[in-house]
Amino acid sequence: MENKTFKTVGHPVRKKDAMSFLLGMPVYTDDITPSDCLTVKVLRSPYAHALIEEIDISTAMKVPGIECILTYKDVPQNRFTMAGQTYPEPSPYDRLILDKRLRFVGDAVAIIAGNCEKSVNKAMRLIKVKYDVLEPVLDMHTAKDNPILVHPEDDWQSLFEVGADNKRNLCSTGSRNWGDVDAVFAECDEIVEHTYHTKACQQSMMETFRTYTEIDSTGRLHVISSTQIVFHVRHILANALGIPLSKIHVEKPCVGGGFGAKQTVVAEVYPAIVTWLTKKPAKIIYTREECMTAGSPRHEMEIHVRLGATKDGSIKAIDMYTLSNAGAYGEHAPTTVDLTATKTISLYTGTLKAYRFGWDVVYTNVQGGGAFRGYGATQGSFAVESAVNEMADRLGIDPVAIREKCMVREGQLMPSYYDETASACALDRCLAKAKEIFEWDKKFPVRDMGNGKVRTAGVAMSMQGSGISAVDVGSAEIKLNEDGFYTLYIGAADMGTGCDTILAQIAAETLNCDIDKICVCKADSDTSPYDSGSYASSTTYVTGKAVEKACRKLIDKIKEFSSDILNVPPSKLNFTGSRVCTPSGESITLEHIAIRSTCFCNNALHAVCSHSSPVSPSPFMVGMAEIELDKETGSVKVCDYTAVVDCGTPVNVNLARIQAEGGIVQGIGMALYENVTYSETGHIAENSFMQYKIPTRMDIGSLNIEFESSYEESGPYGAKSIGEIVINTPSPAIAHAIHNATGVWHRELPITPEKILMSTDNID
């Protein structure tokens, strides 16, 4: 089905909370929680691997204003995971609130709570700890089966079969294949084989991790947190604290950015245990340094790609092996690794005859990884798309032409993507449109600018998913109020992406009303229907469909209610949005129906629906980057980035464009600037924005975002996702352009000016 004309969906509706932000109203966690609560901070390990032999808090406890100092002796010893994932949780239960064994520089040693930050900081300096310093495992290449174990404990637990074995430093391992890979490679005329390395990038959201906790009037733990996963926070805290779910109430205010970082319960447990033990309100706010040294960055990965093709450019076989660095803990580690292959190999279904994928995810004594926009597909895209570009170069084929020949097309089965079908796929149109508006044929050749600089271009394409098939659940409740407006209750978390507005648009479209008549209640574990959370590009596709279904169910209820008033069967009635009409022309207003429902009514006019999809339709994207490279300094400037995205029906074009622009800028940062390096003792060098460089608007040239829509029948009004796919193409496209300018393929990110100059003797 082709795109339709809708009343609300597809229009650039202003975000519902836009004026709140513009007027500086209190909307974030630190704005709306009391300033006189306990301040919570964490004393962190100075060693990558150590045991606490002795810890003396007696002097620190004498500091005026200190409420409590908690050590591993004072807190529950329940193993849990901080990963916000749906049952059955694939991430191992390998954490304690506080542990005697410390596994990375920045691991939690003690929790300090006091009535002001000054007192807490003073007490922290007075805690005396005697460490038994152990040899760490810092190199992911030597971690597997290393005699030094990151997790030697016997109560370590993996709930899901992912090949994990803590006695081998393995968080996950496995392999799968389709077709006779070796036989197909034997038929290939050209083989590209290389290893690609991506670093542990930081999400760098403006609002750091922060949580407020209190005991409410009924004795329950009330948690207000900047999170993407309200219901998972409740579950994780119940596991960690060893208390029933019914004793915990979690809500989220506005979130100042997450990008996946807040799909992990990084900070919540520390004020929660303080409040639970002291019965006093408490708050923790991470510093930027803590975010960068004890957060949940993208997993470092090394991806070996072997790609085979025939002389005409038909890609026939892909063999991948991914080594992923889980770090000290396994949050999201067993699941991110899978996407390096599933969301990349499938792009070449058009000519592919066989693939093989193997992986190892290992524990090391560095900061643990987590979820970050793209979730493994970003690392995989850099590797596979770079290999495809090199294959085109070796065969003397235009890199756009090789993709035109090999790409997946609508209706094709994708064996490497869980045997799903590309049900709605405009990738071919995305590539054609990008080539045209970017002026590929003009910009791809290397052009000498006459000032010591050259310009050229690179290309990449990408796919992602729309939620986790057969796992993610979205829910919505819609209620008709007295004067004919609606209240929409959702459990999905708006992280600044505008999902409250998107879901309100879907509701307004279904109910045939103005969006101003839809009031959205933010995620709250007490009042919202269950929702897995805002991650895996699921909100518009999964929760949006739940909203549509709930609204249609409410319309049926409204017609049933009106049937008794109009004496006409519900099936004969027509709901217009403002009225219910009979075939004869008689009608009653929605306001009249709403008021009548408040008295002598046995059927409340509200509806609740949940939705889970057996499939995860892929959005597709093509990105083309034009760069200018200075031959004397090696510096690279992105002059133009053009992207064409197939996200099904864009529910809100403005918000979709902003999503694309933000993701592309993050991808450019990953390609050129963002670096994480460790010292020989496991200390991170880039622990602030002074050292960890992210691009500003001054570093980015023209961003041109266009849409080439398909219509996904299983999505709300044909919609698919857009949140993650947009970060995947910049790094391979920019690496491709740098090769065109220098003749050198760079296979490790970021590609800095120093690397460019050191990798070639002469780039003239």
Side-chain angles (χ1 to χ4, degrees), residues 202-481:
Q202 303 283 357
Q203 293 91 345
S204 303
M205 61 281 179
M206 285 194 291
E207 184 194 33
T208 62
F209 300 105
R210 54 196 60 197
T211 300
Y212 168 79
T213 54
E214 64 183 2
I215 301 296
D216 68 15
S217 59
T218 64
R220 300 167 73 212
L221 180 65
H222 179 208
V223 181
I224 298 175
S225 186
S226 179
T227 182
Q228 303 172 218
I229 47 165
V230 168
F231 289 95
H232 290 329
V233 169
R234 184 175 66 175
H235 169 72
I236 292 166
L237 289 180
N239 283 345
L241 274 61
I243 62 177
L245 287 168
S246 61
K247 291 290 186 180
I248 303 174
H249 167 210
V250 182
E251 61 176 309
K252 68 157 246 3
C254 289
V255 176
F259 310 117
K262 294 170 184 174
Q263 194 194 337
T264 303
V265 180
V266 172
E268 286 85 343
V269 69
Y270 303 119
I273 188 62
V274 167
T275 293
W276 190 249
L277 294 178
T278 67
K279 307 307 177 189
K280 293 185 178 182
K283 179 164 59 180
I284 191 168
I285 296 179
Y286 269 40
T287 64
R288 183 60 61 183
E289 181 177 349
E290 284 182 297
C291 284
M292 292 189 160
T293 58
S296 58
R298 189 184 299 284
H299 291 94
E300 177 191 19
M301 291 187 186
E302 196 173 82
I303 303 171
H304 186 86
V305 178
R306 188 172 179 232
L307 186 146
T310 52
K311 290 180 181 178
D312 66 351
S314 298
I315 296 171
K316 297 296 185 180
I318 301 177
D319 189 358
M320 292 179 66
Y321 168 75
T322 300
L323 175 63
S324 178
N325 190 352
Y329 298 97
E331 277 88 22
H332 300 281
T335 40
T336 50
V337 69
D338 186 61
L339 272 62
T340 61
T342 57
K343 304 294 172 66
T344 55
I345 294 174
S346 306
L347 284 166
Y348 297 96
T349 296
T351 57
L352 199 69
K353 287 187 175 182
Y355 81 87
R356 179 165 52 212
F357 174 50
W359 67 92
D360 285 312
V361 185
V362 294
Y363 282 119
T364 60
N365 291 115
V366 301
Q367 176 183 208
F372 187 173
R373 190 181 209 162
Y375 204 81
T378 311
Q379 297 96 308
S381 293
F382 171 59
V384 173
E385 289 300 286
S386 293
V388 171
N389 284 330
E390 183 167 349
M391 178 63 76
D393 186 65
R394 286 197 194 180
L395 294 173
I397 298 173
D398 188 302
V400 170
I402 199 171
R403 288 173 169 84
E404 289 172 337
K405 186 178 190 67
C406 303
M407 70 169 63
V408 63
R409 296 177 186 270
E410 187 164 296
Q412 288 186 330
L413 183 71
M414 298 178 286
S416 55
Y417 187 62
Y418 317 115
D419 286 325
E420 288 194 22
T421 300
S423 53
C425 174
L427 182 58
D428 53 345
R429 287 183 277 127
C430 288
L431 187 60
K433 190 170 188 175
K435 181 179 180 181
E436 176 187 354
I437 62 178
F438 180 78
E439 297 182 305
W440 172 261
D441 292 336
K442 175 182 176 182
K443 292 181 178 178
F444 180 56
V446 179
R447 288 152 286 139
D448 193 322
M449 306 306 292
N451 57 356
K453 299 176 181 179
V454 295
R455 287 196 179 189
T456 184
V459 64
M461 61 186 191
S462 179
M463 62 179 282
Q464 199 77 31
S466 299
I468 306 172
S469 55
V471 172
D472 281 347
V473 173
S475 301
E477 178 180 359
I478 187 80
K479 179 180 71 170
L480 177 64
N481 298 297

Side-chain angles (χ1 to χ4, degrees), residues 588-657:
I588 53 174
T589 66
L590 186 64
E591 289 83 355
H592 181 71
I593 294 167
I595 293 170
R596 285 284 295 267
S597 72
T598 63
C599 57
F600 299 106
C601 176
N602 295 313
N603 188 12
L605 293 183
H606 75 97
V608 183
C609 273
S610 292
H611 178 71
S612 184
S613 176
V615 295
S616 177
S618 295
F620 297 93
M621 174 182 175
V622 171
M624 292 182 175
E626 181 188 23
I627 67 161
E628 183 175 85
L629 188 143
D630 189 318
K631 295 184 290 182
E632 292 184 357
T633 67
S635 67
V636 173
K637 178 183 177 182
V638 178
C639 303
D640 178 25
Y641 202 97
T642 293
V644 183
V645 186
D646 164 22
C647 59
T649 301
V651 177
N652 187 312
V653 178
N654 280 359
L655 295 181
R657 180 167 283 108

Side-chain angles (χ1 to χ4, degrees), residues 477-494:
E477 178 180 359
I478 187 80
K479 179 180 71 170
L480 177 64
N481 298 297
E482 290 92 322
D483 67 347
F485 75 97
Y486 302 92
T487 303
L488 176 63
Y489 298 89
I490 57 171
D494 194 327

Side-chain angles (χ1 to χ4, degrees), residues 609-720:
C609 273
S610 292
H611 178 71
S612 184
S613 176
V615 295
S616 177
S618 295
F620 297 93
M621 174 182 175
V622 171
M624 292 182 175
E626 181 188 23
I627 67 161
E628 183 175 85
L629 188 143
D630 189 318
K631 295 184 290 182
E632 292 184 357
T633 67
S635 67
V636 173
K637 178 183 177 182
V638 178
C639 303
D640 178 25
Y641 202 97
T642 293
V644 183
V645 186
D646 164 22
C647 59
T649 301
V651 177
N652 187 312
V653 178
N654 280 359
L655 295 181
R657 180 167 283 108
I658 290 168
Q659 283 276 291
E661 290 176 351
I664 287 168
V665 171
Q666 283 182 315
I668 292 171
M670 178 179 175
L672 296 176
Y673 308 111
E674 300 179 40
N675 199 15
V676 172
T677 57
Y678 285 91
S679 70
E680 293 180 354
T681 56
H683 288 76
I684 293 177
E686 298 80 10
N687 59 9
S688 77
F689 284 146
M690 292 295 290
Q691 292 83 27
Y692 187 83
K693 304 298 184 182
I694 60 174
T696 69
R697 187 63 187 90
M698 298 298 291
D699 299 308
I700 307 300
S702 171
L703 294 178
N704 185 16
I705 314 298
E706 299 291 339
F707 298 95
E708 191 61 48
S709 300
S710 59
Y711 191 93
E712 175 52 51
E713 293 285 354
S714 65
Y717 298 100
K720 298 186 290 189

